[in-house]
Amino acid sequence: EVQLVQSGAEVKKPGESLKISCKGSGYSFTSYWIGWVRQMPGKGLEWMGIIYPGDSDTRYSPSFQGQVTISADKSISTAYLQWSSLKASDTAMYYCARGESSSGWYYYFDYWGQGTLVTVSS
Amino acid sequence: EIVMTQSPATLSVSPGERATLSCRASQSVSSNLAWYQQKPGQAPRLLIYGASTRATGIPARFSGSGSGTEFTLTISSLQSEDFAVYYCQQYNNWPPAGYTFGQGTKLEIK
C-alpha cells in the first residue's frame, strides 16, 4: 500500500527556520516525483515544487522559487520542505504528494500525505 | 504561468441530481488536466487524470471531459459523500514545473 506520512504540526515564530518531512512507503521512492502543495487557511491549493528523489532534480513554481527549499534523502525514503526564515504569511497546511504519469512526461498527484499544519506567530 | 479558472465558485445541487463543474485554462494544456476532491479536514483525493480517466477506486458517476482549454467534471447522481470542494489542475509542462490549480468549486447541498 502506497503511503506518504508527514511530520506533525509545527508552531514557530517569525524569523525561525523549519524543515518538515514526508516519508514514502509501499513503492519505489526513487522512481517517482514528490511534490509539495500549500493550502492557506480557507483557501485553495497552490503547487509549490517537485523533486525526483532518484537524482534530486528539483523544480519550483515561480511563486515559491527562493522562498523554500525542497530536498530528499533517498536512503530513508523521505522528502523535505524547508524555510530559512519563516513569515506569518507562511501559515498554512502543507501537503506532499506523489507524482504519477501515464505518459512519462507529465505528472499529476495520485497519492497525498495527510498534511502538516505550520503556524507562524509571534 | 497558466491560469486555471473554475466556475461556478459555489454550486448548489440536490442529492440524486447531476452536477456539472467547469474549468478553463488560459492556454492549451492538451489533455493534461486532473480533478481532485477535498473534504473538510482531509487531504485532496485524485478523481480524474488525463482529462477523462478515472483514478483507481473512483465511482463511475464521476466523469471528465474536454481538451485544450475547456474541461468539465460531471457527477451524474449526487450522493451525500460527494459534497466537497473540487479542484482542477493542469500539468502540461516538461520538466514538471509551474503546474497550477484552479481556485476550486464548492459543491453544496441544495
Side-chain angles (χ1 to χ4, degrees):
Chain A
E1 179 194 7
V2 174
Q3 283 194 308
L4 296 172
V5 178
Q6 298 185 230
S7 50
E10 301 275 0
V11 180
K12 292 289 191 178
K13 291 181 166 40
E16 292 186 331
S17 62
L18 176 64
K19 192 174 190 178
I20 63 175
S21 66
C22 169
K23 183 174 176 60
S25 63
Y27 72 100
S28 174
F29 185 75
T30 54
S31 299
Y32 289 82
W33 294 82
I34 288 281
W36 288 93
V37 175
R38 182 174 78 174
Q39 188 167 39
M40 299 177 76
K43 301 300 183 182
L45 306 174
E46 299 174 89
W47 196 95
M48 300 177 71
I50 198 166
I51 187 167
Y52 190 73
D55 61 7
S56 294
D57 185 6
T58 307
R59 310 285 170 165
Y60 295 92
S61 167
S63 301
F64 292 94
Q65 180 83 48
Q67 306 306 306
V68 296
T69 301
I70 293 171
S71 61
D73 184 340
K74 60 186 179 183
S75 69
I76 54 172
S77 300
T78 301
Y80 301 97
L81 177 65
Q82 69 180 83
W83 295 259
S84 58
S85 181
L86 286 160
K87 302 184 284 288
S89 57
D90 293 317
T91 294
M93 182 71 81
Y94 293 88
Y95 295 101
C96 65
R98 190 182 81 162
E100 175 60 288
S101 175
S102 51
S103 65
W105 296 98
Y106 308 109
Y107 293 83
Y108 53 90
F109 291 140
D110 63 345
Y111 288 92
W112 293 66
Q114 82 277 17
T116 295
L117 180 62
V118 174
T119 303
V120 184
S121 174
S122 55
Chain B
E1 185 176 90
I2 297 174
V3 177
M4 307 300 292
T5 303
Q6 292 185 240
S7 61
T10 304
L11 183 61
S12 300
V13 183
S14 300
E17 294 189 339
R18 173 188 297 255
T20 302
L21 288 67
S22 297
C23 175
R24 173 178 292 177
S26 60
Q27 63 189 75
S28 177
V29 297
S30 186
S31 294
N32 295 312
L33 190 286
W35 289 95
Y36 302 88
Q37 177 193 66
Q38 188 179 33
K39 297 179 180 179
Q42 295 185 18
R45 176 174 72 143
L46 176 67
L47 297 176
I48 301 284
Y49 63 92
S52 61
T53 303
R54 278 189 303 277
T56 302
I58 300 304
R61 64 180 181 273
F62 290 90
S63 63
S65 63
S67 66
T69 62
E70 300 283 345
F71 301 89
T72 300
L73 175 69
T74 301
I75 311 170
S76 60
S77 178
L78 280 164
Q79 307 296 303
S80 58
E81 62 266 29
D82 299 335
F83 294 95
V85 179
Y86 292 83
Y87 295 94
C88 62
Q89 182 217 351
Q90 66 81 16
Y91 53 97
N92 195 49
N93 292 337
W94 173 261
Y99 293 170
T100 46
F101 290 93
Q103 82 279 17
T105 290
K106 182 179 181 180
L107 182 56
E108 62 177 28
I109 300 175
K110 187 174 183 180

